[in-house]
Amino acid sequence: MTEVMVERGSRAHRATLGVGVALVALAATVPLWADSSWMREFVEIACYFVFAMMWNLLAGYGGMVSIGQQAFFGLGGYAMLALGNFAGFDPFLAVPVAALAVALLALPVSWIAFRLQGGYFAIGTWVIAEVFRLSIANVSAVGGGSGTTLTALRGIPRATRESLTYWLALSAVVACIAGVYLFLRSKQGLALQAIRDNETAAESQGIAVRRMKLAVYAVAAFGAGLAGALYFLGNLRISPDAAFSVNWTAFAIFMVVIGGIGRIEGPIVGALVFWALSRFFSDLGTWYLLGLGLLAIVVTLFFKQGLWGYAQQHWGWALFPTQRRLVAPQNGAITSRNPP
Amino acid sequence: MALLALHAVSKSYGALKVTDGISLAVEEGETLGILGPNGAGKTTLFNLVSGDLRLDAGRIEYAGRDVTGLAPHQRCRAGIGRSYQVPQPFGAMTVFENVVTAACFGGGQSERQAWRSACEVLEETGLLAQANRLAGALTLLDRKRLELARALATQPRLLLLDEIAGGLTEHEAGQLVAELRRIRARGITMVWIEHVVHALLAIADRLFVIDFGRRLADGPPQAVMSDPQVQRVYLGMEG
Amino acid sequence: MEPLLSTHGLQAFYGDAQALFGIDFVLARGEIVAVIGANGAGKSTFLKALTGLVKAPRAAVRFHGEVIGGLAPAEIVRRGLALVPEGRRLFSSLSVEENLQMGAAARRPGAWSLRRVYELFPALLKRRRSPAPSLSGGEQQMVAIGRALMGNPQVLLCDELSLGLAPIVIREVYQALPRITAEGMTVVVVEQDVQTAQRVSQRLYCLQEGRVSLTGASGQLTREQISRAYFGV
Amino acid sequence: ADTLKIGYVSPQTGPLAPFGEADKWVIEQMKAALKNGVTVGGKKYDVQVVLKDSQSSPNRAGEVANDLILKEKVALILTAGTPETANPVSDACELNEVPCISSVVPWQPWFFGRKGDPAKGFQWTYHVFWGLEDVIANFTNGWKSVPTNRKVGGLFPNDGDGNAWGDKELGFPKPLSQMGFTLTDPGRFQNGTQDFSAQIAKFKAEGVEIVTGVVIPPDAKTFLTQARQQGFRPKVITLGKALLFPGAIEALGDLGDGLTTEVWWSPSHPFTSSLTKQSAKQLADAYEAGTKRQWTQPIGFAHALFELAASALARSKSLKNTDVRDAIAATDLQTVVGQVKWGGQGPFRNVSKTPLVLGQWVKGKGKYRYELVIVNNEAFKQIPATAALKPI
Amino acid sequence: MLDLLAQAVLLGGLYTLFALGQSLMFGVMRLTNTAHGDFIVLAAFAAVAGLMVVGSSGLALAAVALLLLPLAFGFGWALQRYVLNGTLGRDPLPSLVVTFGLAVVIQNLLLELFSADPRSIETGGFATRSLALGADLRVGALPLLVLLLAVAATAALQWLFSSTALGRSFRAVSDDREIAELMGLHADRVYALATGIAFVLVALAGVLQAMRTTVSPSDGPLLLLFAFEAVIIGGMGSFWGTLAGGMLLGLAQQVGFRLDPGWGIWFGHLVFLAVLVLRPQGLWPKTRG
Ligand SMILES: Nc1ncnc2c1ncn2[C@@H]1O[C@H](COP(=O)(O)OP(=O)(O)OP(=O)(O)O)[C@@H](O)[C@H]1O
Ligand SMILES: Nc1ncnc2c1ncn2[C@@H]1O[C@H](COP(=O)(O)OP(=O)(O)OP(=O)(O)O)[C@@H](O)[C@H]1O
Ligand SMILES: [Mg+2]
Ligand SMILES: [Mg+2]
């Protein structure tokens, strides 16, 4: 057999890469010229996005549909606050350190969570999050149920604080997209997909299923913790009900499902849609939330693959291809991937 | 020394003894056929060897080392490849990706090496034309082929095959046997559970018959097939 | 005489991919007809189209002269077709006996009952209270056949009946077929083993890439004819 | 003329929505009152009020406060209704250097809940309301007026208010024991608890005759029903928060009769608005006429917040945040909730206290099922008491 | 001690009633219904609204409750038929998202229609009546009624599920929908029937909840978690298991509450997680017919 040819990308995908780099470069200069409200908005949406991206990694690729990721989001926030307020950490440095701490904490938590599967896993993780919420709510050092304020930031000038927070958020977003993409393109990505499809078979093909799932769980926890730490760095105030609210996961699910689960573009599209909706309609209050709920229902029922999945199916769009297509050796004997 | 050795292996579900103290040795390079009535415990035996099930009692040695406590993926990496009676494809991945995964993880290859060996395996098993199709859309027989292809891609020293000839036409069964011969020629040891007896007879060096979780017969094919007990219990011929 | 079941130009699709390209098929009461063909020829698809699991054009399928193409599976089954599906597909949270009882859910009257199924497959009697997934592959196949019989169908469609069965069981099942038809049931078997197919059936259809490539009385077809029909050489 | 924006954050939706129920009406009224604009530093501005809903969530409250500051560029922010809304909004203002006036939170949860430093106070945020010492005074004044064994059972949930009320140093425990009451506090519970039999068992065991606390309405109902079922009948039940709103009392059915609660504002308060010149009575009547609903206590404070904003803006030298802030700090104004003066009548320079009395819900004589009557005014005699506290 | 046990059993009865409908839907359709609590609240509000229309009296309450049950059946039936059926499958995600969406819709719709005020059903003093069983032990008449209804509903469901052809169909359809259709069942109708029955239980739970305490639009999620815990502790597909799960949860919370009210629910969660770790399939998985 001649050299094996495997197709992994397309022109669109290389173009994306170029546009992406340019966009990031431009975005990095925002604090120099733009209004601070833009930065604020970006930080907020970045938190939602990073969180959704990690949920997508966990559920869409790892097959672990969790409704309890708010546990790590909240813990990230509290860890950042504790480091900043009590340990005298620089609050900006505290963000990644907090995320790391959360990832470590995820290891013992996984021991319980991994005893469950499917719907049980979903609800079980929610209960675990509730356990964290109730536990933190009984720690008076962080204000108990009423929560507390991030005092470590008092005294840092507003402009410095805003720019640093913004850059931190931007790096988190870039790192998150790049990290997930590279991971999924690597052979570990294959293993992950295999596990999602069939755990028994994956194990018998030499994949260390448990270790892989644990790694994904820890990475997802790290991302959720990062998002949480970042969010409460921007929000300055934390309380158990806010930090461990199931709405975080609900919003992440909405974003991922609207954009398309199990694809990197999904959370990106979802986050953009979510941002646009909340920007224009969130003042409608109940009606806005009601509409969001309906939208999620309609998309799930009628666009099972989400908006991006729809685009991919109909127009073959793929910005972040992770598939491997075998290119036919001369005779062209390979049937197309999706029968016409 | 035997490549695989089971020592008084037992497994039960509640009161049901599915595997009842089976001892069995498979020599390196040998092709062993396993026969037995439905529900005799053949698949269970494979599950015990591959690590999908835990033993209740006994010991399993592979290549001179005790593997009783190893996880399935460790046994796979050690060289025990298997196919499932009910195919278990990664349905949302393409056939090619299925096999590449096996080559990467079971075979411990780098991704580029894996592409090459996946192609070879696909060609060998006649699946090359389906390489870019989703495994979930394959027909039953192609799924069975994929089981074989994946098992081969893990570069096994010992290959466990569970009913891969069922549903093949005579012609296709002939092709399969020819392919297994080629595999054997590469020095791979095989254990094959099969109800399509003539296919099994065409290649097996030795037959092992299980009934109610115990050994009923063990020996050269001709001798086993003419054993009156086997004829009565399995083939349904008057003894 | 009006055939019991017939198809005329039956086509079937999976999404956009066509699997059957105009199958003409007739079945008379009391017959055993075999359908053979290579892997992927469309045999399973054909049976699925008959029972409504794959959509068929309205007028393409007739049963008792009545048009049944495109009806929901439940409707078709109630009229007297039953399928032993490829790969057994038992109800995994039901016991063996409950699986069999489910077969009677269409409430068609007839001779088949739990007792008679256990007579046919004595191995099942011992395991009647066991959960279906705990059975071996072969035992599961017996349950699948028994379940279809419990519906007392007029036409029994069997997809790869012998797959995974020990020779002794295959022998018993095929020995049971004439008994089953003797009571007025009509049987279609999809079979890979051509010799078995020829032996047990009166007539035979060979499919190739979604088309009928050969048909005739089983006993009169030669090996050459069949292998040509198989591979189209 | 240029437009000047005032931000207003309150819980319009969610479990705390009764606190924000009157805001829409108050803001409508303000639009009329401020239609001629305000003059700041000699320049006339149109006034636009931007109302944001905290959805009863502290997160959301922080988010919308930031929106108001960064996107709407408001000159100042007003906020009201439990620590869950007012604290995050105040924090956001403090960090973004925007003046803020908050209310409808006892000052302790607002100040200490935000980790305020008594020595320094806050730079940008000002608060107007009463404090726990006032509730304690009023509650005990009421309890002393009826014969009991002075054994008190406390229901303090694990939220901003509950933690402050139950705090060993700042809350109820210390003053109660000083006044000769024995307090049984079974511990902080979660809002939404389905079952109070643990508390009831403890109260019964201790022979409690007075029950107090600060609970959300559903919990009050659960507790009261279960107490009745399990044969626990205290003589006085005085609860904060749960009993503020007519709707909540109606939901209690017969259990609502005779319950006591703090009264921060009522139509019988002898104050007048500096903006609309309405008396408290006229304001409440206008609300009832306008919305066809019974008056609620937050009306007065929502109104007063705007009085304070208008007064500060009018006195400010310019719209610069420091100028507005300085004008607020220098406020001395008679409002519909009483006199407001920062740096004078409060524990810290950021807090100005308003008067508090004790009320009891009794069967209504007019169109409403229950009416809130003032039964003890020892803490602030100018507000007339119309009846005496009756044990249940 | 006796009081503790009595209160635990009564609380357990309530949780059982919350959980039975969920148990049925989870068992039959593998549907992770995250809007379960909100449906209970919705039913409660429906009863409240009904009473607002006809005025409140004991008779009116009975009439509204009786009318609500068939209404709930129809609602559940239609919901399953036209919305939820589209989400079923091996992947738990679609049903999760749709029911999450429904939860949001219900909460906000109720908020819009009824505002955030807590509501309750007037029982004419029935809710506060109690039976004295000894010197220190009094049990409320309403909790006792809840308990009795819970036990009766459990028995009825268990019988239906494991001993009738309908129950068998429920399970068969949940295992393999396509093949169940080959047996002559209309899977969509079977699902709709199951959901209809589940919603009768939901309505019952809602009305009783509004009688014993207040309900407000945002109460749903908490009710949901308790219901789920009871179902999972008990083991899927077993209704006696659900009852036992409800009791165990009630006991755990009661013990926790008496140690410290702040840790009661936490303790309940912990017992739940402990059960999962020790017996992931629940205490009484799937009883056989
Ligand atoms: N679910 C499906 N989706 C898409 N294509 C399918 C599906 N099932 C079958 N096909 C295609 O339809 C064609 C006919 O398949 P069918 O299963 O009917 O073949 P068969 O004759 O029964 O083969 P076998 O002997 O392997 O069972 C094949 O090309 C197959 O790939
Ligand atoms: N999880 C289980 N629980 C209970 N019994 C089981 C379980 N798995 C298998 N069994 C029983 O163990 C016995 C052996 O099953 P096994 O699958 O090993 O049979 P087999 O020899 O492979 O049969 P076949 O040739 O039909 O595939 C059967 O009677 C089966 O019912
Ligand atoms: Mg087997
Ligand atoms: Mg087939």
Side-chain angles (χ1 to χ4, degrees), chain B residues 133 137 139-141, chain C residues 14 19 38-45 86 160 192:
Chain B
R133 290 191 68 179
T139 61
L140 184 63
L141 285 175
Chain C
Y14 289 102
N39 167 26
K43 307 178 295 295
S44 300
T45 309
E86 195 176 42
E160 314 254 351
Q192 287 285 12

Side-chain angles (χ1 to χ4, degrees), chain E residues 179-268:
Chain E
I179 299 303
E181 295 194 337
L182 267 186
M183 304 293 117
L185 299 176
H186 291 276
D188 284 358
R189 289 186 211 161
V190 172
Y191 285 148
L193 198 60
T195 307
I197 294 173
F199 268 64
V200 170
L201 293 164
V202 162
L204 200 62
V207 172
L208 290 167
Q209 172 74 351
M211 282 165 69
R212 68 179 281 281
T213 175
T214 50
V215 288
S216 68
S218 53
D219 283 355
L222 198 66
L223 305 187
L224 166 78
L225 275 193
F226 293 158
F228 252 119
E229 289 182 339
V231 173
I232 296 179
I233 290 176
M236 190 166 84
S238 158
F239 297 99
W240 287 119
T242 303
L243 179 80
M247 295 296 161
L248 192 62
L249 184 64
L251 183 65
Q253 291 191 359
Q254 278 297 350
V255 170
F257 282 135
R258 296 204 181 197
L259 297 177
D260 181 332
W263 297 95
I265 294 176
W266 183 88
F267 200 69

Side-chain angles (χ1 to χ4, degrees), chain A residues 42-242:
Chain A
F42 179 84
V43 171
E44 209 175 294
I45 198 68
C47 294
Y48 281 104
F49 169 74
V50 170
F51 189 65
M53 193 79 181
M54 286 301 151
W55 191 85
N56 186 36
L57 180 71
L58 189 69
Y61 289 97
M64 292 174 268
V65 177
S66 159
I67 334 184
Q69 285 307 94
Q70 67 272 21
F72 302 121
F73 187 88
L75 286 171
Y78 269 100
M80 183 274 296
L81 182 122
L83 287 169
N85 278 9
F86 305 134
F89 259 69
D90 175 76
F92 300 99
L93 186 63
V95 171
V97 177
L100 210 60
V102 170
L104 285 179
L105 194 69
L107 300 180
V109 171
S110 73
W111 185 73
I112 295 175
F114 282 8
R115 313 227 23 160
L116 313 172
Q117 259 119 40
Y120 280 24
F121 180 83
I123 304 296
T125 50
W126 190 353
V127 173
I128 292 173
E130 282 293 291
V131 168
F132 280 120
R133 179 177 72 82
L134 293 171
S135 304
I136 297 256
N138 281 300
V139 177
S140 53
V142 289
S146 39
T148 185
T149 302
L150 178 62
T151 48
L153 279 178
R154 289 186 185 154
I156 298 178
R158 179 173 162 181
T160 317
R161 175 172 60 80
E162 281 174 349
S163 314
L164 279 178
T165 313
Y166 172 83
W167 277 322
L168 206 55
L170 184 66
S171 347
V173 168
V174 173
C176 183
I177 297 180
V180 171
Y181 180 51
L182 291 178
F183 178 73
L184 290 177
R185 265 175 84 91
S186 76
K187 72 183 208 183
Q188 306 305 323
L190 271 182
L192 198 54
Q193 250 189 306
I195 292 172
R196 178 180 59 177
D197 276 5
N198 190 328
E199 274 187 34
T200 320
E203 179 80 28
S204 82
Q205 304 302 316
I207 297 170
V209 172
R210 209 188 146 82
R211 199 171 340 132
M212 192 73 197
K213 285 176 75 167
L214 187 61
V216 169
Y217 193 69
V219 169
F222 178 88
L226 188 68
L230 204 53
Y231 181 86
F232 289 104
L233 182 71
N235 208 49
L236 313 169
R237 206 191 149 72
I238 193 165
S239 72
D241 288 349

Side-chain angles (χ1 to χ4, degrees), chain B residues 42-43 85 162-163, chain C residues 137:
Chain B
K42 305 180 293 296
T43 302
Q85 181 176 2
D162 196 349
E163 295 198 25

Side-chain angles (χ1 to χ4, degrees), chain B residues 13 16 18 36-44 85 163 195, chain C residues 127 133-139 164:
Chain B
Y13 291 107
L16 184 71
V18 182
N38 293 120
K42 305 180 293 296
T43 302
T44 307
Q85 181 176 2
E163 295 198 25
H195 288 303
Chain C
R127 314 287 324 259
S134 74
L135 264 57
S136 80
E139 291 164 340

Side-chain angles (χ1 to χ4, degrees), chain D residues 2 29 32 43 66 91 101 119 121 138 171-172 178 203 207 210 221 231 252 278 281 327 341 346 348 381:
Chain D
D2 284 344
Q29 198 199 19
K43 188 163 181 288
N66 277 304
D91 280 344
I101 310 175
N138 271 290
F172 272 54
Q178 281 164 2
F203 292 167
I210 302 168
K221 162 120 189 191
L252 289 174
Q278 285 166 304
K281 176 101 181 61
K341 184 168 188 297
F348 309 114
K381 296 278 194 218

Side-chain angles (χ1 to χ4, degrees), chain C:
Chain C
M1 194 189 78
E2 168 92 10
L4 180 60
L5 177 71
S6 65
T7 69
H8 184 74
L10 175 63
Q11 302 192 331
F13 297 82
Y14 289 102
D16 296 331
Q18 187 160 9
L20 298 182
F21 298 82
I23 305 272
D24 296 329
F25 174 89
V26 289
L27 184 67
R29 186 185 297 273
E31 267 190 314
I32 301 181
V33 169
V35 177
I36 61 173
N39 167 26
K43 307 178 295 295
S44 300
T45 309
F46 176 60
L47 297 192
K48 284 190 198 169
L50 290 182
T51 44
L53 291 179
V54 166
K55 264 261 166 301
R58 236 188 97 56
V61 188
R62 282 172 182 273
F63 184 53
H64 281 303
E66 221 179 315
V67 172
I68 62 165
L71 290 183
E75 295 301 327
I76 294 178
V77 168
R78 279 159 195 264
R79 286 165 203 241
L81 264 66
L83 174 67
V84 180
E86 195 176 42
R88 296 141 200 164
R89 302 191 49 185
L90 302 185
F91 298 116
S92 54
S93 65
L94 270 59
S95 66
V96 167
E97 185 151 310
E98 285 175 321
N99 262 284
L100 295 174
Q101 285 170 330
M102 279 313 299
R107 290 182 214 282
R108 292 177 49 83
W112 285 95
S113 63
L114 280 177
R115 199 175 49 77
R116 291 222 33 206
V117 171
Y118 289 139
E119 273 170 27
L120 184 65
F121 301 118
L124 296 184
L125 191 58
K126 289 196 301 282
R127 314 287 324 259
R128 58 195 280 195
R129 303 235 170 266
S130 311
S134 74
L135 264 57
S136 80
E139 291 164 340
Q140 291 188 13
Q141 184 72 38
M142 300 177 202
V143 179
I145 298 169
R147 185 176 64 181
L149 289 174
M150 287 289 288
N152 287 300
Q154 289 179 297
V155 178
L156 181 68
L157 309 167
C158 306
D159 199 350
E160 314 254 351
L161 200 52
S162 61
L163 192 69
L165 292 185
I168 182 171
V169 186
I170 300 180
R171 191 180 294 239
E172 281 164 11
V173 167
Y174 279 115
Q175 272 165 9
L177 273 192
R179 264 188 287 151
I180 292 170
T181 49
E183 290 173 18
M185 210 178 276
T186 307
V187 178
V188 177
V189 287
V190 163
E191 183 58 72
Q192 287 285 12
D193 181 348
V194 178
Q195 275 154 15
T196 308
Q198 278 186 291
R199 189 160 41 81
V200 301
S201 66
Q202 286 127 35
R203 282 191 309 120
L204 185 146
Y205 284 83
C206 186
L207 298 193
Q208 187 204 328
E209 292 179 1
R211 295 181 175 84
V212 177
S213 58
L214 177 71
T215 173
S218 307
Q220 289 160 15
L221 296 173
T222 65
R223 259 189 104 83
E224 289 68 46
Q225 277 178 305
I226 291 177
S227 74
R228 204 170 326 121
Y230 247 87
F231 305 108
V233 283

Side-chain angles (χ1 to χ4, degrees), chain D residues 30-220:
Chain D
M30 283 306 139
K31 276 192 193 147
L34 297 171
K35 67 172 185 295
N36 295 328
V38 294
T39 310
V40 184
K43 188 163 181 288
K44 203 162 156 61
Y45 291 93
D46 287 339
V47 176
Q48 188 191 345
V49 179
V50 187
L51 173 65
K52 292 274 181 182
D53 178 11
S54 75
Q55 295 171 0
S56 301
S57 137
N59 264 359
R60 176 83 190 160
E63 274 175 29
V64 295
N66 277 304
D67 279 354
L68 286 174
I69 296 165
L70 299 170
K71 282 193 230 153
E72 303 284 352
K73 310 241 181 293
V74 294
L76 84 169
I77 288 187
L78 308 175
T79 179
T82 79
E84 273 62 46
T85 294
N87 287 9
V89 174
S90 300
D91 280 344
C93 291
E94 190 68 31
L95 257 130
N96 286 306
E97 300 167 6
V98 170
C100 172
I101 310 175
S102 52
S103 187
V104 193
V105 182
W107 65 260
Q108 286 91 341
W110 179 81
F111 192 86
F112 293 113
R114 296 174 53 211
K115 297 259 181 288
D117 179 349
K120 290 195 231 149
F122 294 108
Q123 291 298 313
W124 297 93
T125 49
Y126 290 82
H127 193 67
V128 52
F129 212 51
W130 39 266
L132 295 179
E133 66 281 7
D134 302 304
V135 205
I136 295 167
N138 271 290
F139 282 14
T140 49
N141 285 345
W143 300 341
K144 283 179 199 156
S145 71
V146 288
T148 64
N149 63 1
R150 300 206 159 198
K151 292 198 168 157
V152 183
L155 291 173
F156 304 118
N158 189 359
D159 63 11
D161 284 325
N163 282 322
W165 289 47
D167 192 276
K168 291 236 159 29
E169 287 306 311
L170 304 167
F172 272 54
K174 217 171 175 176
L176 282 198
S177 73
Q178 281 164 2
M179 281 184 266
F181 290 93
T182 25
L183 176 69
T184 306
D185 178 1
R188 306 288 153 272
F189 58 91
Q190 290 301 311
N191 283 329
T193 297
Q194 293 290 314
D195 190 277
F196 283 94
S197 41
Q199 283 92 338
I200 293 167
K202 211 161 225 161
F203 292 167
K204 274 185 7 190
E206 300 287 332
V208 161
E209 287 187 350
I210 302 168
V211 172
T212 189
V214 52
V215 297
I216 60 172
D219 290 1

